[in-house]
Amino acid sequence: MILTHGLGGRSDLPIPVWVALYVAVGVLLFSFLALGLLWRSSRFATEDGVALPRWVQVAVGERASRLAQAVALAGTVVFLAVAWFGPASVATNPAPTWLYVWVWVGLVPCSLLLGPIWRFLNPVRALARLLSRFVPSRLRQAGLPAGAGRWPAVVSLGVFLWLELVFDHSDEPRVVAGFVTAYVLVHGIGGAVAGPRWFDAADGLEVYSATIGRLAPWGRSAEGEAVLRHPLAGLAAMPVPPGQLAVLCTLLGSTAFDGVTRTSFWGDLTRDLVGPGYLITGTLGLVAAVLLVAGAYQLAMRATDAFSRYADGTSRAFAHTLVPIIVGYTVAHYFSFAVFQGQVGAILASDPFGRGWDLFGSAQSSIDYLVVSPRTIAVVQLAAVVCGHVVGVVAAHDRSLEELRPRSVAVGQLPYLLLMVGLTSTGLVLLMGL
């Protein structure tokens, strides 16, 4: 089974565990104090940016996107052919690695650097355009009901995360093939009937990429023009339709659950469980982790509401501050997994159908475990968790200057700071497998 988590553990840390915790919490507290003294007005209230050159506008325009989506659709056909008809073992079939590493994990750095890249490449959008030609006009709709928000994407992400983290045969190529086939058909038909807006609301991968992409240095103006912007300005302007907060809590909670499954506690709990018992326990654990994250966030926001200038609460106003934390946890948990298991996808690509081919000259290669050291992995993990929370604190402080009463800005941030300290400590403990 492919284990979608980092390979570095607490034994790799160049410093004792208690020192890592003290350093992480100390950095958060110092950041809070420094921001309170030096950052007195909101700097990211608007998402202004500098328009990019004409050739960039063309390169990222609708025509280029449709071409990229058509190529990606052809790649999806190849993927499904390998998953359905290639070797039945994950040891020799690259499809599981392509899905869990190249697509799912790789989507984070790509979106962080390039913005909502999955929308640009989404092969299912190309399929939906083809299928829409066969949909009678009386059945077509202009998107989903407004009240649906991004709740359909929560379901889409939840199904994928359950497959990845709970289902005990998730790495089998035929299971991967079945899931991707169903995913493509559901969203292809949904997009054909409801139009392009379907993907903004229901495609889990696209919503995930768009959410992470708010931290990218590139974005679009209100007129749709590609611009260069401050990453935190793009983050602050993140829309929060119904269900968006649930998307964030699902992503953060699932990563926390992945950490729980690496602890001795979880091992003892599930050691003797098989079949339905294991699946039920895993499902309850995943749901519990998501609900705990959501509950902790809502509790902190309820406490912050007492200091708000407005009567509609702060829950939606501070939702964007969870994005850098999600990025930090994702990098920490999956960095070594991407570096090492990611090589497998390239190695096996030379002979995807198990016919003895060597298409790219890599069939005889093996994983290079020396490409990064265990200590480097541990440092990256620790830095990712701490930096993610620090950026979250910065974003929260900037939003506090808009949302909280002037005389209550400092004390009004204390519930959020306590939430950050709790998430940081819990994240590090889970990361180290304690």
Side-chain angles (χ1 to χ4, degrees):
M1 181 177 180
I2 296 179
L3 298 177
T4 49
H5 63 97
L7 299 179
R10 60 183 178 181
S11 61
D12 301 322
L13 285 173
I15 56 177
V17 173
W18 66 270
V19 173
L21 290 172
Y22 272 112
V23 169
V25 173
V27 170
L28 281 180
L29 295 176
F30 175 80
S31 301
F32 174 77
L33 293 174
L35 289 168
L37 292 173
L38 304 176
W39 198 306
R40 296 300 183 92
S41 61
S42 177
R43 304 182 185 184
F44 306 123
T46 59
E47 193 183 4
D48 296 331
V50 179
L52 294 170
R54 176 64 182 170
W55 66 269
V56 176
Q57 307 292 341
V58 173
V60 299
E62 185 63 23
R63 289 186 178 181
S65 178
R66 291 197 171 203
L67 176 60
Q69 290 165 2
V71 173
L73 181 60
T76 301
V77 172
V78 173
F79 172 92
L80 289 174
V82 172
W84 278 117
F85 307 111
S89 170
V90 66
T92 50
N93 191 313
T97 297
W98 290 346
L99 174 64
Y100 294 122
V101 185
W102 289 16
V103 175
W104 179 248
V105 177
L107 200 58
V108 173
C110 289
S111 300
L112 197 59
L113 294 174
L114 303 174
I117 187 65
W118 193 252
R119 187 188 191 284
F120 185 83
L121 297 174
N122 195 345
V124 191
R125 282 183 176 262
L127 177 63
R129 286 194 295 270
L130 293 174
L131 295 178
S132 66
R133 300 177 181 180
F134 305 99
V135 177
S137 58
R138 68 179 185 277
L139 297 179
R140 295 184 183 179
Q141 303 176 23
L144 295 171
R150 287 183 168 171
W151 284 106
V154 175
V155 176
S156 179
L157 286 167
V159 171
F160 175 82
L161 291 167
W162 181 87
L163 172 71
E164 178 197 15
L165 300 174
V166 176
F167 190 56
D168 49 354
H169 298 287
S170 61
D171 62 343
E172 293 183 5
R174 305 303 180 255
V175 172
V176 168
F179 169 78
V180 174
T181 300
Y183 193 96
V184 168
L185 289 177
V186 167
H187 291 295
I189 295 172
V193 173
R197 292 182 182 178
W198 167 275
F199 298 96
D200 298 327
D203 189 333
L205 287 175
E206 187 160 314
V207 170
Y208 184 30
S209 177
T211 298
I212 302 301
R214 299 304 305 188
L215 272 170
W218 326 99
R220 290 193 179 274
S221 64
E223 296 75 26
E225 191 176 36
V227 296
L228 180 66
R229 68 187 182 193
H230 194 295
L232 290 183
L235 179 65
M238 184 186 80
V240 189
Q244 178 63 29
L245 186 55
V247 167
L248 298 172
C249 292
T250 298
L251 293 170
L252 190 56
S254 63
T255 306
F257 173 71
D258 185 32
V260 171
T261 61
R262 312 306 161 192
T263 63
S264 57
F265 162 77
W266 188 262
D268 294 337
L269 181 65
T270 60
R271 180 175 295 112
D272 299 324
L273 296 178
V274 294
Y278 178 83
L279 295 179
I280 292 172
T281 302
T283 302
L284 292 175
L286 176 59
V287 172
V290 173
L291 291 178
L292 283 172
V293 169
Y297 177 79
Q298 292 292 359
L299 184 63
M301 292 300 99
R302 288 292 180 89
T304 305
D305 287 345
F307 308 97
S308 177
R309 301 182 186 186
Y310 312 106
D312 55 352
T314 56
S315 180
R316 294 176 68 253
F318 285 81
H320 66 289
T321 65
L322 295 177
V323 176
I325 300 170
I326 292 170
V327 172
Y329 276 154
T330 301
V331 172
H333 277 266
Y334 302 136
F335 172 69
S336 60
F337 172 68
V339 170
F340 298 131
Q341 185 66 31
Q343 297 177 48
V344 174
I347 293 170
L348 297 181
S350 279
D351 187 19
F353 293 100
R355 301 293 183 86
W357 301 343
D358 193 6
L359 299 176
F360 307 108
S362 61
Q364 303 303 317
S365 301
S366 58
I367 299 176
D368 182 5
Y369 288 105
L370 300 179
V371 65
V372 291
S373 67
R375 177 163 295 194
T376 299
I377 293 171
V379 171
V380 168
Q381 291 174 327
L382 179 60
V385 172
V386 174
C387 289
H389 284 83
V390 168
V391 174
V393 168
V394 172
H397 177 76
D398 189 80
R399 181 54 53 89
S400 296
L401 295 170
E402 298 179 50
E403 293 289 326
L404 305 186
R405 295 191 296 271
R407 294 184 179 182
S408 303
V409 170
V411 68
Q413 292 182 72
L414 290 179
Y416 187 87
L417 178 64
L418 292 175
L419 175 66
M420 293 298 98
V421 170
L423 289 176
T424 301
S425 302
T426 302
L428 288 174
V429 168
L430 292 177
L431 187 64
M432 298 167 193
L434 296 179

